PDB file of all heavy atoms in Angstrom:
ATOM      1  N   ALA E 395       5.097  17.282   4.343  1.00  0.00           N
ATOM      2  CA  ALA E 395       5.708  17.503   3.033  1.00  0.00           C
ATOM      3  C   ALA E 395       5.308  18.833   2.445  1.00  0.00           C
ATOM      4  O   ALA E 395       6.159  19.632   1.901  1.00  0.00           O
ATOM      5  CB  ALA E 395       5.316  16.352   2.099  1.00  0.00           C
ATOM      6  N   LEU E 396       4.027  19.172   2.497  1.00  0.00           N
ATOM      7  CA  LEU E 396       3.576  20.399   1.882  1.00  0.00           C
ATOM      8  C   LEU E 396       4.123  21.608   2.629  1.00  0.00           C
ATOM      9  O   LEU E 396       4.616  22.594   1.966  1.00  0.00           O
ATOM     10  CB  LEU E 396       2.029  20.482   2.009  1.00  0.00           C
ATOM     11  CG  LEU E 396       1.361  21.750   1.398  1.00  0.00           C
ATOM     12  CD1 LEU E 396       1.698  21.942  -0.056  1.00  0.00           C
ATOM     13  CD2 LEU E 396      -0.142  21.670   1.642  1.00  0.00           C
ATOM     14  N   THR E 397       4.225  21.585   3.966  1.00  0.00           N
ATOM     15  CA  THR E 397       4.818  22.681   4.691  1.00  0.00           C
ATOM     16  C   THR E 397       6.250  22.911   4.362  1.00  0.00           C
ATOM     17  O   THR E 397       6.698  24.064   4.229  1.00  0.00           O
ATOM     18  CB  THR E 397       4.616  22.503   6.192  1.00  0.00           C
ATOM     19  OG1 THR E 397       3.224  22.280   6.491  1.00  0.00           O
ATOM     20  CG2 THR E 397       5.121  23.652   6.980  1.00  0.00           C
ATOM     21  N   ALA E 398       7.009  21.866   4.253  1.00  0.00           N
ATOM     22  CA  ALA E 398       8.450  21.989   3.880  1.00  0.00           C
ATOM     23  C   ALA E 398       8.598  22.623   2.539  1.00  0.00           C
ATOM     24  O   ALA E 398       9.467  23.543   2.340  1.00  0.00           O
ATOM     25  CB  ALA E 398       9.109  20.597   3.903  1.00  0.00           C
ATOM     26  N   VAL E 399       7.799  22.256   1.560  1.00  0.00           N
ATOM     27  CA  VAL E 399       7.869  22.875   0.231  1.00  0.00           C
ATOM     28  C   VAL E 399       7.441  24.280   0.271  1.00  0.00           C
ATOM     29  O   VAL E 399       8.060  25.186  -0.342  1.00  0.00           O
ATOM     30  CB  VAL E 399       6.943  22.073  -0.768  1.00  0.00           C
ATOM     31  CG1 VAL E 399       6.851  22.775  -2.112  1.00  0.00           C
ATOM     32  CG2 VAL E 399       7.523  20.636  -0.986  1.00  0.00           C
ATOM     33  N   LEU E 400       6.415  24.623   1.033  1.00  0.00           N
ATOM     34  CA  LEU E 400       5.910  26.011   1.090  1.00  0.00           C
ATOM     35  C   LEU E 400       6.922  26.920   1.782  1.00  0.00           C
ATOM     36  O   LEU E 400       7.088  28.084   1.387  1.00  0.00           O
ATOM     37  CB  LEU E 400       4.610  26.058   1.902  1.00  0.00           C
ATOM     38  CG  LEU E 400       3.381  25.444   1.147  1.00  0.00           C
ATOM     39  CD1 LEU E 400       2.172  25.411   2.071  1.00  0.00           C
ATOM     40  CD2 LEU E 400       3.038  26.233  -0.142  1.00  0.00           C
ATOM     41  N   LEU E 401       7.629  26.412   2.807  1.00  0.00           N
ATOM     42  CA  LEU E 401       8.643  27.210   3.448  1.00  0.00           C
ATOM     43  C   LEU E 401       9.822  27.489   2.552  1.00  0.00           C
ATOM     44  O   LEU E 401      10.376  28.611   2.544  1.00  0.00           O
ATOM     45  CB  LEU E 401       9.113  26.495   4.704  1.00  0.00           C
ATOM     46  CG  LEU E 401       8.144  26.431   5.877  1.00  0.00           C
ATOM     47  CD1 LEU E 401       8.704  25.644   7.029  1.00  0.00           C
ATOM     48  CD2 LEU E 401       7.730  27.835   6.320  1.00  0.00           C
ATOM     49  N   LEU E 402      10.212  26.531   1.762  1.00  0.00           N
ATOM     50  CA  LEU E 402      11.265  26.800   0.737  1.00  0.00           C
ATOM     51  C   LEU E 402      10.818  27.827  -0.330  1.00  0.00           C
ATOM     52  O   LEU E 402      11.539  28.699  -0.700  1.00  0.00           O
ATOM     53  CB  LEU E 402      11.739  25.518   0.071  1.00  0.00           C
ATOM     54  CG  LEU E 402      12.619  24.560   0.881  1.00  0.00           C
ATOM     55  CD1 LEU E 402      13.265  23.522  -0.092  1.00  0.00           C
ATOM     56  CD2 LEU E 402      13.769  25.314   1.633  1.00  0.00           C
ATOM     57  N   THR E 403       9.549  27.641  -0.718  1.00  0.00           N
ATOM     58  CA  THR E 403       8.995  28.578  -1.775  1.00  0.00           C
ATOM     59  C   THR E 403       9.001  29.945  -1.215  1.00  0.00           C
ATOM     60  O   THR E 403       9.293  30.929  -1.959  1.00  0.00           O
ATOM     61  CB  THR E 403       7.615  28.092  -2.160  1.00  0.00           C
ATOM     62  OG1 THR E 403       7.641  26.749  -2.617  1.00  0.00           O
ATOM     63  CG2 THR E 403       7.017  28.963  -3.273  1.00  0.00           C
ATOM     64  N   ASP E 404       8.598  30.125   0.054  1.00  0.00           N
ATOM     65  CA  ASP E 404       8.591  31.451   0.637  1.00  0.00           C
ATOM     66  C   ASP E 404       9.955  32.153   0.722  1.00  0.00           C
ATOM     67  O   ASP E 404      10.016  33.364   0.766  1.00  0.00           O
ATOM     68  CB  ASP E 404       7.973  31.297   2.062  1.00  0.00           C
ATOM     69  CG  ASP E 404       7.655  32.670   2.695  1.00  0.00           C
ATOM     70  OD1 ASP E 404       7.129  33.520   2.003  1.00  0.00           O
ATOM     71  OD2 ASP E 404       8.026  32.829   3.888  1.00  0.00           O
ATOM     72  N   ALA E 405      11.000  31.311   0.610  1.00  0.00           N
ATOM     73  CA  ALA E 405      12.366  31.839   0.693  1.00  0.00           C
ATOM     74  C   ALA E 405      12.923  32.299  -0.650  1.00  0.00           C
ATOM     75  O   ALA E 405      13.970  32.841  -0.745  1.00  0.00           O
ATOM     76  CB  ALA E 405      13.301  30.853   1.293  1.00  0.00           C
ATOM     77  N   LEU E 406      12.145  32.083  -1.737  1.00  0.00           N
ATOM     78  CA  LEU E 406      12.666  32.439  -3.083  1.00  0.00           C
ATOM     79  C   LEU E 406      12.657  33.945  -3.268  1.00  0.00           C
ATOM     80  O   LEU E 406      11.755  34.659  -2.828  1.00  0.00           O
ATOM     81  CB  LEU E 406      11.770  31.768  -4.150  1.00  0.00           C
ATOM     82  CG  LEU E 406      11.812  30.258  -4.181  1.00  0.00           C
ATOM     83  CD1 LEU E 406      10.866  29.769  -5.307  1.00  0.00           C
ATOM     84  CD2 LEU E 406      13.237  29.734  -4.428  1.00  0.00           C
ATOM     85  N   PRO E 407      13.647  34.475  -4.018  1.00  0.00           N
ATOM     86  CA  PRO E 407      13.658  35.876  -4.364  1.00  0.00           C
ATOM     87  C   PRO E 407      12.609  36.123  -5.472  1.00  0.00           C
ATOM     88  O   PRO E 407      12.265  35.237  -6.239  1.00  0.00           O
ATOM     89  CB  PRO E 407      15.121  36.071  -4.898  1.00  0.00           C
ATOM     90  CG  PRO E 407      15.464  34.764  -5.419  1.00  0.00           C
ATOM     91  CD  PRO E 407      14.807  33.732  -4.537  1.00  0.00           C
ATOM     92  N   PRO E 408      12.149  37.327  -5.641  1.00  0.00           N
ATOM     93  CA  PRO E 408      11.217  37.695  -6.706  1.00  0.00           C
ATOM     94  C   PRO E 408      11.824  37.635  -8.080  1.00  0.00           C
ATOM     95  O   PRO E 408      13.050  37.822  -8.264  1.00  0.00           O
ATOM     96  CB  PRO E 408      10.726  39.084  -6.367  1.00  0.00           C
ATOM     97  CG  PRO E 408      11.888  39.674  -5.558  1.00  0.00           C
ATOM     98  CD  PRO E 408      12.481  38.569  -4.818  1.00  0.00           C
ATOM     99  N   MET E 409      11.005  37.269  -9.037  1.00  0.00           N
ATOM    100  CA  MET E 409      11.398  37.262 -10.451  1.00  0.00           C
ATOM    101  C   MET E 409      10.279  37.875 -11.256  1.00  0.00           C
ATOM    102  O   MET E 409       9.128  37.816 -10.806  1.00  0.00           O
ATOM    103  CB  MET E 409      11.722  35.888 -10.925  1.00  0.00           C
ATOM    104  CG  MET E 409      13.144  35.394 -10.613  1.00  0.00           C
ATOM    105  SD  MET E 409      13.447  33.772 -11.436  1.00  0.00           S
ATOM    106  CE  MET E 409      13.468  34.239 -13.133  1.00  0.00           C
ATOM    107  N   PRO E 410      10.547  38.355 -12.450  1.00  0.00           N
ATOM    108  CA  PRO E 410       9.398  38.832 -13.270  1.00  0.00           C
ATOM    109  C   PRO E 410       8.384  37.691 -13.478  1.00  0.00           C
ATOM    110  O   PRO E 410       8.726  36.563 -13.887  1.00  0.00           O
ATOM    111  CB  PRO E 410      10.085  39.186 -14.632  1.00  0.00           C
ATOM    112  CG  PRO E 410      11.527  39.520 -14.199  1.00  0.00           C
ATOM    113  CD  PRO E 410      11.847  38.583 -13.087  1.00  0.00           C
ATOM    114  N   ALA E 411       7.155  38.029 -13.208  1.00  0.00           N
ATOM    115  CA  ALA E 411       6.133  36.996 -13.279  1.00  0.00           C
ATOM    116  C   ALA E 411       5.664  36.839 -14.746  1.00  0.00           C
ATOM    117  O   ALA E 411       5.558  37.828 -15.518  1.00  0.00           O
ATOM    118  CB  ALA E 411       4.921  37.466 -12.444  1.00  0.00           C
ATOM    119  N   PRO E 412       5.440  35.601 -15.185  1.00  0.00           N
ATOM    120  CA  PRO E 412       4.900  35.334 -16.492  1.00  0.00           C
ATOM    121  C   PRO E 412       3.400  35.847 -16.602  1.00  0.00           C
ATOM    122  O   PRO E 412       2.818  36.168 -15.580  1.00  0.00           O
ATOM    123  CB  PRO E 412       4.971  33.836 -16.686  1.00  0.00           C
ATOM    124  CG  PRO E 412       4.952  33.342 -15.265  1.00  0.00           C
ATOM    125  CD  PRO E 412       5.621  34.393 -14.421  1.00  0.00           C
ATOM    126  N   PRO E 413       2.835  35.909 -17.783  1.00  0.00           N
ATOM    127  CA  PRO E 413       1.414  36.306 -17.875  1.00  0.00           C
ATOM    128  C   PRO E 413       0.503  35.492 -17.020  1.00  0.00           C
ATOM    129  O   PRO E 413       0.764  34.316 -16.756  1.00  0.00           O
ATOM    130  CB  PRO E 413       1.133  36.094 -19.410  1.00  0.00           C
ATOM    131  CG  PRO E 413       2.468  36.195 -20.075  1.00  0.00           C
ATOM    132  CD  PRO E 413       3.476  35.645 -19.083  1.00  0.00           C
ATOM    133  N   ARG E 414      -0.580  36.056 -16.639  1.00  0.00           N
ATOM    134  CA  ARG E 414      -1.510  35.428 -15.656  1.00  0.00           C
ATOM    135  C   ARG E 414      -2.037  34.077 -16.247  1.00  0.00           C
ATOM    136  O   ARG E 414      -2.185  33.112 -15.531  1.00  0.00           O
ATOM    137  CB  ARG E 414      -2.663  36.359 -15.376  1.00  0.00           C
ATOM    138  CG  ARG E 414      -3.600  35.792 -14.293  1.00  0.00           C
ATOM    139  CD  ARG E 414      -4.701  36.796 -13.970  1.00  0.00           C
ATOM    140  NE  ARG E 414      -5.503  36.341 -12.828  1.00  0.00           N
ATOM    141  CZ  ARG E 414      -6.465  35.395 -12.883  1.00  0.00           C
ATOM    142  NH1 ARG E 414      -6.828  34.900 -14.067  1.00  0.00           N
ATOM    143  NH2 ARG E 414      -7.165  35.100 -11.831  1.00  0.00           N
ATOM    144  N   ARG E 415      -2.273  34.014 -17.530  1.00  0.00           N
ATOM    145  CA  ARG E 415      -2.825  32.802 -18.097  1.00  0.00           C
ATOM    146  C   ARG E 415      -1.794  31.661 -17.979  1.00  0.00           C
ATOM    147  O   ARG E 415      -2.193  30.489 -17.694  1.00  0.00           O
ATOM    148  CB  ARG E 415      -3.187  32.987 -19.620  1.00  0.00           C
ATOM    149  CG  ARG E 415      -4.440  33.874 -19.802  1.00  0.00           C
ATOM    150  CD  ARG E 415      -4.788  33.952 -21.279  1.00  0.00           C
ATOM    151  NE  ARG E 415      -5.965  34.806 -21.459  1.00  0.00           N
ATOM    152  CZ  ARG E 415      -6.498  35.035 -22.683  1.00  0.00           C
ATOM    153  NH1 ARG E 415      -5.892  34.520 -23.756  1.00  0.00           N
ATOM    154  NH2 ARG E 415      -7.543  35.780 -22.802  1.00  0.00           N
ATOM    155  N   ILE E 416      -0.536  31.955 -18.201  1.00  0.00           N
ATOM    156  CA  ILE E 416       0.468  30.958 -18.113  1.00  0.00           C
ATOM    157  C   ILE E 416       0.624  30.493 -16.634  1.00  0.00           C
ATOM    158  O   ILE E 416       0.711  29.320 -16.383  1.00  0.00           O
ATOM    159  CB  ILE E 416       1.852  31.482 -18.637  1.00  0.00           C
ATOM    160  CG1 ILE E 416       1.712  31.794 -20.162  1.00  0.00           C
ATOM    161  CG2 ILE E 416       2.933  30.461 -18.372  1.00  0.00           C
ATOM    162  CD1 ILE E 416       3.001  32.338 -20.741  1.00  0.00           C
ATOM    163  N   ARG E 417       0.583  31.468 -15.737  1.00  0.00           N
ATOM    164  CA  ARG E 417       0.660  31.111 -14.321  1.00  0.00           C
ATOM    165  C   ARG E 417      -0.506  30.212 -13.932  1.00  0.00           C
ATOM    166  O   ARG E 417      -0.342  29.277 -13.159  1.00  0.00           O
ATOM    167  CB  ARG E 417       0.769  32.317 -13.455  1.00  0.00           C
ATOM    168  CG  ARG E 417       2.132  33.027 -13.449  1.00  0.00           C
ATOM    169  CD  ARG E 417       2.182  34.161 -12.511  1.00  0.00           C
ATOM    170  NE  ARG E 417       1.342  35.315 -12.913  1.00  0.00           N
ATOM    171  CZ  ARG E 417       0.371  35.805 -12.210  1.00  0.00           C
ATOM    172  NH1 ARG E 417       0.056  35.280 -11.022  1.00  0.00           N
ATOM    173  NH2 ARG E 417      -0.290  36.891 -12.652  1.00  0.00           N
ATOM    174  N   LEU E 418      -1.674  30.600 -14.362  1.00  0.00           N
ATOM    175  CA  LEU E 418      -2.882  29.832 -14.042  1.00  0.00           C
ATOM    176  C   LEU E 418      -2.823  28.433 -14.578  1.00  0.00           C
ATOM    177  O   LEU E 418      -3.190  27.488 -13.916  1.00  0.00           O
ATOM    178  CB  LEU E 418      -4.130  30.600 -14.561  1.00  0.00           C
ATOM    179  CG  LEU E 418      -5.489  29.995 -14.118  1.00  0.00           C
ATOM    180  CD1 LEU E 418      -5.649  29.933 -12.628  1.00  0.00           C
ATOM    181  CD2 LEU E 418      -6.631  30.797 -14.787  1.00  0.00           C
ATOM    182  N   ALA E 419      -2.364  28.347 -15.873  1.00  0.00           N
ATOM    183  CA  ALA E 419      -2.293  27.006 -16.461  1.00  0.00           C
ATOM    184  C   ALA E 419      -1.281  26.105 -15.782  1.00  0.00           C
ATOM    185  O   ALA E 419      -1.497  24.979 -15.506  1.00  0.00           O
ATOM    186  CB  ALA E 419      -1.941  27.174 -17.963  1.00  0.00           C
ATOM    187  N   GLY E 420      -0.098  26.726 -15.438  1.00  0.00           N
ATOM    188  CA  GLY E 420       0.933  25.979 -14.712  1.00  0.00           C
ATOM    189  C   GLY E 420       0.447  25.506 -13.326  1.00  0.00           C
ATOM    190  O   GLY E 420       0.723  24.342 -12.995  1.00  0.00           O
ATOM    191  N   ALA E 421      -0.200  26.455 -12.578  1.00  0.00           N
ATOM    192  CA  ALA E 421      -0.678  26.071 -11.256  1.00  0.00           C
ATOM    193  C   ALA E 421      -1.763  24.979 -11.369  1.00  0.00           C
ATOM    194  O   ALA E 421      -1.752  24.060 -10.555  1.00  0.00           O
ATOM    195  CB  ALA E 421      -1.243  27.342 -10.562  1.00  0.00           C
ATOM    196  N   THR E 422      -2.639  25.076 -12.301  1.00  0.00           N
ATOM    197  CA  THR E 422      -3.704  24.074 -12.509  1.00  0.00           C
ATOM    198  C   THR E 422      -3.071  22.676 -12.802  1.00  0.00           C
ATOM    199  O   THR E 422      -3.492  21.695 -12.280  1.00  0.00           O
ATOM    200  CB  THR E 422      -4.689  24.488 -13.616  1.00  0.00           C
ATOM    201  OG1 THR E 422      -5.227  25.777 -13.316  1.00  0.00           O
ATOM    202  CG2 THR E 422      -5.763  23.470 -13.765  1.00  0.00           C
ATOM    203  N   ALA E 423      -2.108  22.691 -13.723  1.00  0.00           N
ATOM    204  CA  ALA E 423      -1.456  21.445 -14.094  1.00  0.00           C
ATOM    205  C   ALA E 423      -0.771  20.888 -12.902  1.00  0.00           C
ATOM    206  O   ALA E 423      -0.874  19.630 -12.634  1.00  0.00           O
ATOM    207  CB  ALA E 423      -0.439  21.683 -15.180  1.00  0.00           C
ATOM    208  N   ALA E 424      -0.058  21.670 -12.106  1.00  0.00           N
ATOM    209  CA  ALA E 424       0.691  21.146 -10.911  1.00  0.00           C
ATOM    210  C   ALA E 424      -0.326  20.550  -9.916  1.00  0.00           C
ATOM    211  O   ALA E 424      -0.084  19.503  -9.312  1.00  0.00           O
ATOM    212  CB  ALA E 424       1.460  22.255 -10.310  1.00  0.00           C
ATOM    213  N   GLY E 425      -1.429  21.327  -9.677  1.00  0.00           N
ATOM    214  CA  GLY E 425      -2.447  20.784  -8.759  1.00  0.00           C
ATOM    215  C   GLY E 425      -3.056  19.449  -9.230  1.00  0.00           C
ATOM    216  O   GLY E 425      -3.204  18.530  -8.404  1.00  0.00           O
ATOM    217  N   LEU E 426      -3.404  19.376 -10.467  1.00  0.00           N
ATOM    218  CA  LEU E 426      -3.979  18.155 -10.984  1.00  0.00           C
ATOM    219  C   LEU E 426      -3.036  16.955 -10.917  1.00  0.00           C
ATOM    220  O   LEU E 426      -3.440  15.883 -10.515  1.00  0.00           O
ATOM    221  CB  LEU E 426      -4.443  18.385 -12.428  1.00  0.00           C
ATOM    222  CG  LEU E 426      -5.802  19.143 -12.661  1.00  0.00           C
ATOM    223  CD1 LEU E 426      -6.000  19.392 -14.120  1.00  0.00           C
ATOM    224  CD2 LEU E 426      -6.937  18.454 -11.980  1.00  0.00           C
ATOM    225  N   VAL E 427      -1.810  17.222 -11.330  1.00  0.00           N
ATOM    226  CA  VAL E 427      -0.816  16.151 -11.288  1.00  0.00           C
ATOM    227  C   VAL E 427      -0.631  15.655  -9.796  1.00  0.00           C
ATOM    228  O   VAL E 427      -0.578  14.442  -9.570  1.00  0.00           O
ATOM    229  CB  VAL E 427       0.570  16.615 -11.859  1.00  0.00           C
ATOM    230  CG1 VAL E 427       1.623  15.602 -11.520  1.00  0.00           C
ATOM    231  CG2 VAL E 427       0.419  16.808 -13.351  1.00  0.00           C
ATOM    232  N   ALA E 428      -0.563  16.570  -8.865  1.00  0.00           N
ATOM    233  CA  ALA E 428      -0.372  16.202  -7.464  1.00  0.00           C
ATOM    234  C   ALA E 428      -1.534  15.366  -6.935  1.00  0.00           C
ATOM    235  O   ALA E 428      -1.340  14.325  -6.312  1.00  0.00           O
ATOM    236  CB  ALA E 428      -0.217  17.425  -6.591  1.00  0.00           C
ATOM    237  N   VAL E 429      -2.738  15.797  -7.284  1.00  0.00           N
ATOM    238  CA  VAL E 429      -3.912  15.072  -6.838  1.00  0.00           C
ATOM    239  C   VAL E 429      -4.045  13.664  -7.400  1.00  0.00           C
ATOM    240  O   VAL E 429      -4.244  12.705  -6.752  1.00  0.00           O
ATOM    241  CB  VAL E 429      -5.248  15.892  -7.124  1.00  0.00           C
ATOM    242  CG1 VAL E 429      -6.490  15.018  -6.843  1.00  0.00           C
ATOM    243  CG2 VAL E 429      -5.297  17.145  -6.254  1.00  0.00           C
ATOM    244  N   LEU E 430      -3.835  13.627  -8.792  1.00  0.00           N
ATOM    245  CA  LEU E 430      -3.914  12.313  -9.470  1.00  0.00           C
ATOM    246  C   LEU E 430      -2.815  11.375  -9.023  1.00  0.00           C
ATOM    247  O   LEU E 430      -3.089  10.200  -8.820  1.00  0.00           O
ATOM    248  CB  LEU E 430      -3.832  12.543 -10.965  1.00  0.00           C
ATOM    249  CG  LEU E 430      -5.035  13.310 -11.622  1.00  0.00           C
ATOM    250  CD1 LEU E 430      -4.735  13.569 -13.108  1.00  0.00           C
ATOM    251  CD2 LEU E 430      -6.277  12.494 -11.430  1.00  0.00           C
ATOM    252  N   ALA E 431      -1.624  11.910  -8.814  1.00  0.00           N
ATOM    253  CA  ALA E 431      -0.533  10.982  -8.393  1.00  0.00           C
ATOM    254  C   ALA E 431      -0.715  10.497  -6.988  1.00  0.00           C
ATOM    255  O   ALA E 431      -0.605   9.267  -6.724  1.00  0.00           O
ATOM    256  CB  ALA E 431       0.779  11.748  -8.473  1.00  0.00           C
ATOM    257  N   SER E 432      -1.099  11.392  -6.089  1.00  0.00           N
ATOM    258  CA  SER E 432      -1.303  10.930  -4.723  1.00  0.00           C
ATOM    259  C   SER E 432      -2.553  10.015  -4.582  1.00  0.00           C
ATOM    260  O   SER E 432      -2.497   9.022  -3.862  1.00  0.00           O
ATOM    261  CB  SER E 432      -1.441  12.132  -3.782  1.00  0.00           C
ATOM    262  OG  SER E 432      -2.546  12.965  -4.143  1.00  0.00           O
TER     263      SER E 432
END
Side-chain angles (χ1 to χ4, degrees):
L396 178 59
T397 304
V399 171
L400 290 173
L401 289 178
L402 284 194
T403 304
D404 189 43
L406 294 179
M409 277 188 68
R414 187 178 185 278
R415 289 184 179 180
I416 295 178
R417 285 187 290 123
L418 184 61
T422 303
L426 283 175
V427 169
V429 171
L430 293 175
S432 59

